[in-house]
Structure formats: structure tokens, C-alpha cells
Amino acid sequence: MALNAAHVRTGDARFCVLADQLKGMVATTRDLEGEARERMQQLHSEDPERFVRCREGEEPWPDELQAGFVPRHTCRDECLYHDHEVLDGILQCTCGRPPCRACAIVGTP
């Protein structure tokens, strides 16, 4: 709306053209986001274990480029229970995880 107000104040039709382009881009972005959300929900319902691995950065999302994927660095993760004394975090204890795969691939961050 600010662009249309600028057009009224300046008389420059380029602002209306720009506003129309932006509206189209926003609509396209919204559609793409909806499609991506549907694919994520489908993955979550069909393969919840893979969904968790993707969410944790252990493997790429299905739409993500597979070539060159590097897992998320886990070397600096802290345990909620042992490092931060969050009593409810015992079920999410990350102590004793295997070495960081990303460090093995690309080195330490």
C-alpha cells in the first residue's frame, strides 16, 4: 500500500508497476511455501524417523541438493540435562553421541 501512496504523491506510475510485481512475487512465494510445507508434513507422516534425521541435520531434506551435503556440526552441542541442569531434559541427553561427522568431512568450525 505504501507504494500506491507513493504513486499518488509522486505521480510516478513505476510505483504501481513495482507494487504489482511485488504482489505477484509474494503470491508465488506463498504458494511455494505451502507446497514445501505439504512435502514436509508428508515426510513426517510417512517416515517420521527420516524427518527427525533431516531436522537434526544428519541428512539432507528430500528437496535439498544431495551432492555436497555436509551434516550439521554437533561437536559443540550441549546437553540440556548435564550442561544446563534442565531436569526435564534427561530424555534429550546428547552425551555419548558419536564424533561429529561434519568435522570429519570439512574440519572443525
Coordinates of all heavy atoms in Angstrom, one line a residue, residues 32-78:
L32 N 4.8 -21.5 -3.0 CA 5.9 -22.4 -2.9 C 6.1 -22.8 -1.4 O 6.4 -24.0 -1.2 CB 7.2 -21.7 -3.4 CG 7.3 -21.5 -4.9 CD1 8.5 -20.6 -5.2 CD2 7.3 -22.8 -5.6
E33 N 5.9 -21.9 -0.5 CA 6.0 -22.3 0.9 C 4.9 -23.3 1.3 O 5.2 -24.3 2.0 CB 5.8 -21.0 1.8 CG 5.9 -21.2 3.2 CD 5.7 -20.0 4.0 OE1 4.9 -19.1 3.6 OE2 6.3 -19.9 5.1
G34 N 3.7 -23.2 0.8 CA 2.6 -24.1 1.0 C 3.0 -25.5 0.5 O 2.8 -26.5 1.1
E35 N 3.6 -25.5 -0.7 CA 4.0 -26.8 -1.3 C 5.1 -27.5 -0.5 O 5.0 -28.7 -0.2 CB 4.5 -26.6 -2.7 CG 3.4 -26.2 -3.7 CD 3.9 -25.8 -5.1 OE1 5.1 -26.0 -5.3 OE2 3.2 -25.2 -5.9
A36 N 6.0 -26.7 0.0 CA 7.1 -27.2 0.8 C 6.6 -27.7 2.1 O 7.0 -28.8 2.6 CB 8.2 -26.1 1.0
R37 N 5.6 -27.0 2.7 CA 5.0 -27.4 4.0 C 4.3 -28.8 3.8 O 4.4 -29.7 4.6 CB 4.1 -26.4 4.5 CG 3.5 -26.7 5.9 CD 2.6 -25.6 6.4 NE 3.4 -24.4 6.8 CZ 3.3 -23.3 6.1 NH1 2.5 -23.1 5.0 NH2 4.1 -22.3 6.4
E38 N 3.6 -28.9 2.7 CA 2.9 -30.2 2.4 C 3.9 -31.3 2.3 O 3.6 -32.4 2.8 CB 2.1 -30.1 1.1 CG 0.8 -29.2 1.3 CD 0.1 -29.1 0.0 OE1 0.3 -29.9 -0.9 OE2 -0.7 -28.1 -0.1
R39 N 5.0 -31.1 1.6 CA 6.0 -32.2 1.4 C 6.6 -32.5 2.8 O 6.9 -33.7 3.1 CB 7.1 -31.7 0.5 CG 6.6 -31.7 -1.0 CD 7.8 -31.6 -2.0 NE 8.5 -30.3 -1.8 CZ 8.2 -29.1 -2.3 NH1 7.1 -29.0 -3.0 NH2 9.0 -28.1 -2.1
M40 N 6.9 -31.5 3.6 CA 7.4 -31.8 5.0 C 6.4 -32.6 5.8 O 6.8 -33.6 6.5 CB 7.8 -30.5 5.7 CG 9.0 -29.9 5.1 SD 9.5 -28.4 6.0 CE 10.1 -29.1 7.5
Q41 N 5.1 -32.2 5.8 CA 4.1 -33.0 6.5 C 4.0 -34.4 6.0 O 3.8 -35.3 6.8 CB 2.8 -32.2 6.4 CG 2.8 -30.9 7.2 CD 1.6 -30.1 7.0 OE1 0.8 -30.2 6.0 NE2 1.3 -29.1 7.9
Q42 N 4.1 -34.6 4.7 CA 4.0 -35.9 4.1 C 5.2 -36.7 4.6 O 5.0 -37.9 5.0 CB 4.0 -35.8 2.6 CG 3.9 -37.1 1.9 CD 3.8 -37.0 0.4 OE1 4.0 -35.9 -0.2 NE2 3.5 -38.1 -0.3
L43 N 6.4 -36.2 4.6 CA 7.6 -36.9 5.0 C 7.4 -37.3 6.5 O 7.7 -38.4 6.9 CB 8.8 -36.1 4.9 CG 10.1 -36.7 5.4 CD1 10.5 -38.0 4.7 CD2 11.3 -35.7 5.3
H44 N 6.9 -36.3 7.3 CA 6.7 -36.6 8.7 C 5.7 -37.7 9.0 O 5.9 -38.5 9.9 CB 6.2 -35.3 9.4 CG 6.1 -35.4 10.9 ND1 4.9 -35.8 11.5 CD2 7.0 -35.2 11.9 CE1 5.1 -35.8 12.8 NE2 6.4 -35.5 13.1
S45 N 4.7 -37.8 8.2 CA 3.7 -38.9 8.4 C 4.2 -40.2 7.8 O 3.9 -41.3 8.4 CB 2.3 -38.5 7.8 OG 2.4 -38.3 6.4
E46 N 4.9 -40.2 6.7 CA 5.3 -41.4 6.0 C 6.6 -42.0 6.6 O 6.8 -43.2 6.7 CB 5.5 -41.2 4.5 CG 4.3 -40.9 3.8 CD 4.5 -40.6 2.3 OE1 5.7 -40.6 1.9 OE2 3.5 -40.4 1.6
D47 N 7.5 -41.1 7.1 CA 8.8 -41.6 7.6 C 9.3 -40.7 8.7 O 10.2 -39.9 8.5 CB 9.8 -41.7 6.5 CG 11.1 -42.4 6.8 OD1 11.3 -42.7 8.0 OD2 11.9 -42.7 5.9
P48 N 8.6 -40.8 9.9 CA 9.0 -39.9 11.0 C 10.5 -39.9 11.4 O 11.0 -38.9 11.8 CB 8.1 -40.3 12.1 CG 7.4 -41.5 11.7 CD 7.6 -41.7 10.2
E49 N 11.1 -41.1 11.3 CA 12.5 -41.2 11.7 C 13.4 -40.4 10.7 O 14.3 -39.8 11.2 CB 12.9 -42.7 11.7 CG 12.2 -43.5 12.9 CD 12.4 -44.9 12.8 OE1 13.1 -45.4 11.9 OE2 12.0 -45.6 13.7
R50 N 13.1 -40.5 9.4 CA 13.9 -39.7 8.5 C 13.6 -38.2 8.7 O 14.5 -37.4 8.6 CB 13.5 -40.1 7.0 CG 14.4 -39.4 6.0 CD 14.1 -39.8 4.6 NE 15.0 -39.1 3.7 CZ 14.8 -38.9 2.5 NH1 13.7 -39.4 1.9 NH2 15.6 -38.2 1.7
F51 N 12.4 -37.9 9.0 CA 12.1 -36.5 9.3 C 13.0 -35.9 10.4 O 13.5 -34.9 10.3 CB 10.6 -36.3 9.6 CG 10.2 -34.9 9.9 CD1 9.8 -34.1 8.9 CD2 10.2 -34.4 11.2 CE1 9.4 -32.8 9.2 CE2 9.9 -33.1 11.5 CZ 9.5 -32.3 10.5
V52 N 13.1 -36.7 11.5 CA 13.9 -36.3 12.6 C 15.4 -36.2 12.2 O 16.1 -35.2 12.5 CB 13.8 -37.3 13.8 CG1 14.8 -37.0 14.9 CG2 12.4 -37.2 14.4
R53 N 15.9 -37.1 11.4 CA 17.3 -37.1 10.9 C 17.5 -35.8 10.1 O 18.5 -35.1 10.2 CB 17.7 -38.3 10.1 CG 17.8 -39.6 10.9 CD 18.4 -40.7 10.2 NE 17.8 -41.0 8.9 CZ 16.8 -41.8 8.7 NH1 16.3 -42.5 9.7 NH2 16.3 -42.1 7.5
C54 N 16.5 -35.5 9.2 CA 16.6 -34.3 8.4 C 16.6 -33.0 9.3 O 17.4 -32.1 9.1 CB 15.5 -34.2 7.4 SG 15.7 -35.5 6.1
R55 N 15.7 -33.0 10.2 CA 15.5 -31.9 11.1 C 16.8 -31.6 11.9 O 17.2 -30.5 12.2 CB 14.3 -32.1 12.0 CG 14.0 -30.9 12.9 CD 13.0 -31.2 14.0 NE 13.7 -32.1 14.9 CZ 13.0 -33.0 15.7 NH1 11.6 -33.0 15.6 NH2 13.6 -33.8 16.5
E56 N 17.4 -32.7 12.3 CA 18.6 -32.6 13.1 C 19.9 -32.4 12.3 O 21.0 -32.2 12.8 CB 18.8 -33.9 13.9 CG 17.8 -34.2 15.0 CD 17.7 -33.1 16.1 OE1 18.8 -32.7 16.5 OE2 16.6 -32.7 16.5
G57 N 19.7 -32.3 11.0 CA 20.8 -32.0 10.1 C 21.7 -33.2 9.8 O 22.9 -33.0 9.4
E58 N 21.2 -34.4 10.1 CA 22.1 -35.6 9.9 C 22.1 -36.0 8.4 O 23.0 -36.6 7.9 CB 21.5 -36.7 10.7 CG 21.7 -36.5 12.2 CD 21.0 -37.5 13.1 OE1 20.6 -38.6 12.5 OE2 20.9 -37.3 14.3
E59 N 21.0 -35.7 7.7 CA 20.9 -35.9 6.3 C 20.1 -34.8 5.6 O 19.3 -34.1 6.3 CB 20.3 -37.3 6.0 CG 18.8 -37.5 6.4 CD 18.3 -38.9 6.1 OE1 18.7 -39.8 6.8 OE2 17.5 -39.0 5.1
P60 N 20.3 -34.7 4.3 CA 19.6 -33.5 3.7 C 18.1 -33.8 3.6 O 17.6 -35.0 3.5 CB 20.2 -33.5 2.3 CG 20.8 -34.8 2.1 CD 21.1 -35.4 3.4
W61 N 17.3 -32.7 3.5 CA 15.9 -32.8 3.2 C 15.7 -33.4 1.8 O 16.6 -33.2 1.0 CB 15.2 -31.5 3.3 CG 15.2 -30.9 4.7 CD1 16.0 -30.0 5.3 CD2 14.2 -31.3 5.7 NE1 15.7 -29.8 6.6 CE2 14.6 -30.5 6.9 CE3 13.1 -32.1 5.8 CZ2 13.9 -30.6 8.1 CZ3 12.4 -32.2 7.0 CH2 12.8 -31.5 8.1
P62 N 14.6 -34.1 1.5 CA 14.4 -34.7 0.2 C 14.5 -33.6 -0.9 O 15.0 -34.0 -2.0 CB 13.0 -35.2 0.3 CG 12.8 -35.5 1.7 CD 13.5 -34.4 2.5
D63 N 14.1 -32.4 -0.7 CA 14.2 -31.4 -1.8 C 15.6 -30.7 -1.9 O 15.9 -30.0 -2.8 CB 13.2 -30.3 -1.6 CG 11.7 -30.8 -1.8 OD1 11.6 -31.9 -2.3 OD2 10.8 -30.1 -1.4
E64 N 16.4 -31.0 -0.9 CA 17.7 -30.4 -0.8 C 18.7 -31.1 -1.7 O 18.6 -32.3 -1.9 CB 18.2 -30.5 0.6 CG 19.4 -29.6 1.0 CD 19.7 -29.6 2.5 OE1 18.9 -30.2 3.3 OE2 20.7 -29.0 2.9
L65 N 19.7 -30.4 -2.3 CA 20.7 -31.0 -3.1 C 21.5 -32.0 -2.3 O 22.0 -31.7 -1.2 CB 21.6 -29.9 -3.7 CG 21.0 -29.0 -4.7 CD1 22.0 -27.9 -5.1 CD2 20.4 -29.7 -5.9
Q66 N 21.5 -33.2 -2.8 CA 22.3 -34.3 -2.1 C 23.8 -34.1 -2.3 O 24.5 -34.4 -1.3 CB 21.8 -35.7 -2.7 CG 20.3 -35.9 -2.7 CD 19.8 -36.1 -1.3 OE1 20.3 -36.8 -0.5 NE2 18.6 -35.5 -1.1
A67 N 24.2 -33.7 -3.5 CA 25.6 -33.6 -3.7 C 26.2 -32.5 -2.8 O 25.7 -31.4 -2.8 CB 25.9 -33.3 -5.2
G68 N 27.3 -32.7 -2.2 CA 28.0 -31.7 -1.4 C 27.3 -31.5 0.0 O 27.8 -30.6 0.7
F69 N 26.3 -32.3 0.4 CA 25.7 -32.1 1.7 C 26.7 -32.4 2.8 O 27.5 -33.4 2.7 CB 24.5 -33.1 1.8 CG 23.9 -33.1 3.2 CD1 23.1 -32.0 3.6 CD2 24.2 -34.1 4.1 CE1 22.6 -32.0 4.9 CE2 23.7 -34.1 5.4 CZ 22.9 -33.0 5.8
V70 N 26.7 -31.6 3.8 CA 27.6 -31.8 5.0 C 26.6 -31.8 6.2 O 25.8 -30.8 6.3 CB 28.6 -30.6 5.1 CG1 29.4 -30.8 6.4 CG2 29.5 -30.6 3.9
P71 N 26.7 -32.8 7.0 CA 25.8 -32.8 8.2 C 26.1 -31.6 9.1 O 27.1 -31.0 9.0 CB 26.2 -34.1 8.9 CG 27.1 -34.9 8.0 CD 27.6 -33.9 6.9
R72 N 25.1 -31.3 9.9 CA 25.2 -30.2 10.9 C 26.3 -30.6 11.9 O 26.4 -31.7 12.3 CB 23.9 -30.0 11.6 CG 23.9 -28.9 12.6 CD 22.6 -28.8 13.3 NE 22.3 -29.9 14.2 CZ 22.8 -30.0 15.4 NH1 23.6 -29.1 15.9 NH2 22.5 -31.0 16.2
H73 N 27.1 -29.6 12.2 CA 28.1 -29.8 13.2 C 27.4 -30.0 14.6 O 26.6 -29.3 15.0 CB 29.0 -28.5 13.4 CG 30.1 -28.4 12.4 ND1 31.3 -29.1 12.5 CD2 30.2 -27.8 11.2 CE1 32.1 -28.9 11.5 NE2 31.4 -28.1 10.7
T74 N 27.8 -31.1 15.2 CA 27.2 -31.4 16.5 C 28.3 -31.4 17.6 O 28.0 -31.6 18.8 CB 26.6 -32.9 16.5 OG1 27.7 -33.8 16.1 CG2 25.5 -33.0 15.5
C75 N 29.5 -31.0 17.2 CA 30.6 -31.0 18.2 C 30.5 -30.0 19.3 O 31.0 -30.2 20.4 CB 31.9 -30.8 17.4 SG 31.9 -29.3 16.4
R76 N 29.7 -29.0 19.1 CA 29.5 -28.0 20.2 C 28.1 -28.0 20.8 O 27.8 -27.2 21.6 CB 29.8 -26.6 19.6 CG 31.3 -26.5 19.2 CD 31.6 -25.1 18.9 NE 33.0 -25.0 18.5 CZ 33.5 -24.1 17.7 NH1 32.7 -23.2 17.1 NH2 34.8 -24.1 17.4
D77 N 27.4 -29.1 20.5 CA 26.1 -29.2 21.1 C 26.3 -29.4 22.6 O 27.2 -30.1 23.1 CB 25.3 -30.4 20.6 CG 24.8 -30.2 19.2 OD1 25.0 -29.1 18.6 OD2 24.2 -31.1 18.6
E78 N 25.3 -28.9 23.4 CA 25.4 -29.0 24.8 C 24.2 -29.8 25.3 O 23.1 -29.7 24.7 CB 25.4 -27.7 25.5 CG 26.7 -26.9 25.2 CD 26.8 -25.6 26.0 OE1 25.8 -25.1 26.5 OE2 27.9 -25.1 26.0

